[in-house]
Amino acid sequence: MAFAAANAGQAVPRIALAGILVVVVGGLGHVYAPRVLPSSLDRGFWLAGAGLVGALIAFRETASLIVVALVALLFTFLAVCGRSVLYFLVRRARRRGRAAPTLVVGAGPHGHGLARNLLAYPEHGLLPLGFLDETPGEDPCVPVLGGPGDVVRVVQAHGVRAVVIAGQGQQSIARTARSLGCDVYLAPDLGELIIDFVTLREHVRSFPLVRMRPEAQRGLAWPLKRALDIAVALTGLIVSAPILALCAALIRLETGPGVLFRQRRVGYRDEPLELIKLRTLKPTDALESETLWSIAHDSRIGPVGRLLRKASFDELPQLWNVLRGDMSIVGPRPERPHFVKEFSRTIPGYGLRHRMPVGITGWAQIHGLRGDTSIEDRVRFDNHYIDGWTLRADLKIMLQTVWSLLRPGGG
């Protein structure tokens, strides 16, 4: 598109904008998404739409609509031709042994059928090395390399780059394989309920495949989360500086020297961090600080401390934690090591909260789950936020947090 516009004598900014819009529209239509068996006609309407948008921007003031349409058609034709050549070379390379070493989880009849087809048709790019299962089943076409608990050992020992789960109920294996850098696919059997609930875009000889979503940390929007954190934390510290100074003076008058309270918490990927707050209560000793669950109704808290806690002003120094990179603005709230051990042992899914950087506010907090509330509910809300993370979700939670602080009875 840029080449056509340049040859037509268009201005450089218009050329650049046309090229950028072609890529953006293609991205929105998942034109560049990886496929097990790519086809040049996949996402064809989005390719044509990208060409039309680019042509309108590049030629809308210097050519007729007929010329714009012809340029868009030419772009679409050349794009399809280019993809055809590229995909032919990809399939050829796969047939010559360039397929990804693959582990099939489940050595039942469904897993065997899938593995046999992958061996017979290497152009799909998944070459099964073996199964992961407790029992080998009957006449396996490739060996059983271990049980479900051996996924880390097998992936690392055999250089596995893709994992196909032939069945359901293997979420821990899927997440472990994804964290090891593998592409993970679910291959549901005929009659499984999930087939009626998801769009089946990929298949191996009509064995449906569902590609596992990549971790949020591998997405293009992830660096923007950190950029947003820095911008909000820096702005927040500057704007709240007079409030912090006033709060510090009031705390010193009420409880004496030492206005900041530092406490060990467990953060992202179980890494320790030192959380900073304004001190609203001076603990008796370190043990009380580490193991006392809530001080919301402690009679030792004075009027100033209660006011700061109600308005959430005691949380403002955590903006410094965010600026340092210990925390994010939005994420699961960090907890003390003593309670992390206890809850990880008794509450399913608690440890999964540490897949995302901890935050000052979060999905659980804006739904009233703060202080002495249900830990099970918090775990469910936090994991729901992590599983579906988007930058838009962070912005929504920030706005709802501000509203909850400003509205009557909020905080």
Side-chain angles (χ1 to χ4, degrees), residues 2 34 41 46 48 50 74 108 120 163 214 237 245 253 259 308 310 339 378 408:
L41 296 178
W46 280 94
L74 179 61
V163 173
L237 283 171
L253 288 173
V259 298
L308 295 184
K310 182 175 177 57
F339 291 107
R378 291 196 212 181

Side-chain angles (χ1 to χ4, degrees), residues 272-352:
L273 66 91
E274 186 181 64
L275 183 131
I276 308 172
K277 299 177 71 173
L278 289 174
R279 182 166 54 79
T280 55
L281 171 70
K282 185 174 290 187
T284 304
D285 52 34
L287 180 63
E288 181 185 32
S289 173
E290 293 291 333
T291 61
L292 182 63
W293 171 241
S294 175
I295 63 169
H297 304 291
D298 198 307
S299 59
R300 292 174 294 173
I301 302 178
V304 172
R306 293 196 182 281
L307 177 62
L308 295 184
R309 290 178 61 83
K310 182 175 177 57
S312 297
F313 287 164
D314 61 322
E315 310 281 359
L316 287 175
Q318 289 170 54
L319 292 171
W320 178 248
N321 285 111
V322 174
L323 207 56
R324 288 175 47 182
D326 299 331
M327 297 174 62
S328 175
I329 295 293
V330 179
R333 285 294 295 163
E335 193 45 82
R336 287 160 285 179
H338 170 80
F339 291 107
V340 168
K341 291 180 182 178
E342 180 180 331
F343 296 149
S344 296
R345 188 177 63 253
T346 58
I347 299 176
Y350 187 86
L352 295 175

Side-chain angles (χ1 to χ4, degrees), residues 2-323:
F3 179 79
N7 276 275
Q10 303 298 321
V12 172
R14 189 180 296 277
I15 295 172
L17 181 59
I20 290 170
L21 285 177
V22 165
V23 175
V24 169
V25 174
L28 292 174
H30 303 286
V31 169
Y32 314 115
R35 300 292 298 270
V36 171
L37 188 64
S39 167
S40 58
L41 296 178
D42 285 341
R43 320 306 291 172
F45 286 111
W46 280 94
L47 272 176
L52 182 58
V53 169
L56 283 170
I57 293 299
F59 297 95
R60 65 185 175 88
E61 293 181 358
T62 59
S64 65
L65 289 178
I66 294 177
V67 172
V68 170
L70 288 174
V71 170
L73 285 173
L74 179 61
F75 166 84
T76 305
F77 174 74
L78 292 176
V80 170
C81 290
R83 286 157 68 89
S84 297
V85 172
L86 175 64
Y87 295 158
F88 170 77
L89 295 175
V90 168
R91 287 192 291 270
R92 185 178 179 182
R94 288 174 174 178
R95 292 191 193 101
R96 294 185 174 185
R98 298 293 296 273
T102 301
L103 184 65
V104 179
V105 180
H110 179 53
H112 283 183
L114 180 62
R116 282 194 296 270
N117 275 275
L118 288 174
L119 287 169
Y121 299 94
E123 60 266 26
H124 289 87
L126 302 172
L127 179 64
L129 302 178
F131 291 106
L132 206 65
D133 206 331
E134 294 288 0
T135 56
E138 298 181 2
D139 189 25
C141 52
V142 290
V144 174
L145 301 177
D150 300 320
V151 59
V152 175
R153 176 184 64 79
V154 172
V155 167
Q156 294 177 342
H158 295 272
V160 172
R161 287 165 39 206
V163 173
V164 179
I165 299 175
Q168 293 183 338
Q170 304 287 348
Q171 188 181 62
S172 61
I173 292 178
R175 285 178 170 169
T176 299
R178 184 176 64 176
S179 70
L180 292 170
C182 297
D183 293 325
V184 183
Y185 304 88
L186 174 66
D189 203 349
L190 291 175
E192 290 189 14
L193 188 61
I194 190 174
I195 290 177
D196 293 324
F197 284 84
V198 300
T199 302
L200 301 175
R201 292 196 170 98
E202 305 207 63
H203 68 95
V204 172
R205 301 287 296 175
S206 292
F207 283 86
L209 289 183
V210 181
R211 187 186 294 264
M212 189 177 187
R213 292 192 306 267
E215 292 181 297
Q217 291 85 339
R218 298 177 183 270
L220 295 176
W222 186 252
L224 298 178
K225 179 177 175 66
R226 180 58 186 155
L228 182 63
D229 283 342
I230 293 173
V232 173
L234 191 59
T235 303
L237 283 171
I238 294 172
V239 172
S240 65
I243 299 175
L244 282 168
L246 177 61
C247 292
L250 293 174
I251 289 170
R252 183 175 177 82
L253 288 173
E254 183 173 81
T255 61
V259 298
L260 291 179
F261 175 63
R262 302 174 186 271
Q263 191 176 63
R264 287 190 306 133
R265 298 284 178 106
V266 177
Y268 182 40
R269 293 177 176 171
D270 296 319
E271 292 292 327
L273 66 91
E274 186 181 64
L275 183 131
I276 308 172
K277 299 177 71 173
L278 289 174
R279 182 166 54 79
T280 55
L281 171 70
K282 185 174 290 187
T284 304
D285 52 34
L287 180 63
E288 181 185 32
S289 173
E290 293 291 333
T291 61
L292 182 63
W293 171 241
S294 175
I295 63 169
H297 304 291
D298 198 307
S299 59
R300 292 174 294 173
I301 302 178
V304 172
R306 293 196 182 281
L307 177 62
L308 295 184
R309 290 178 61 83
K310 182 175 177 57
S312 297
F313 287 164
D314 61 322
E315 310 281 359
L316 287 175
Q318 289 170 54
L319 292 171
W320 178 248
N321 285 111
V322 174
L323 207 56

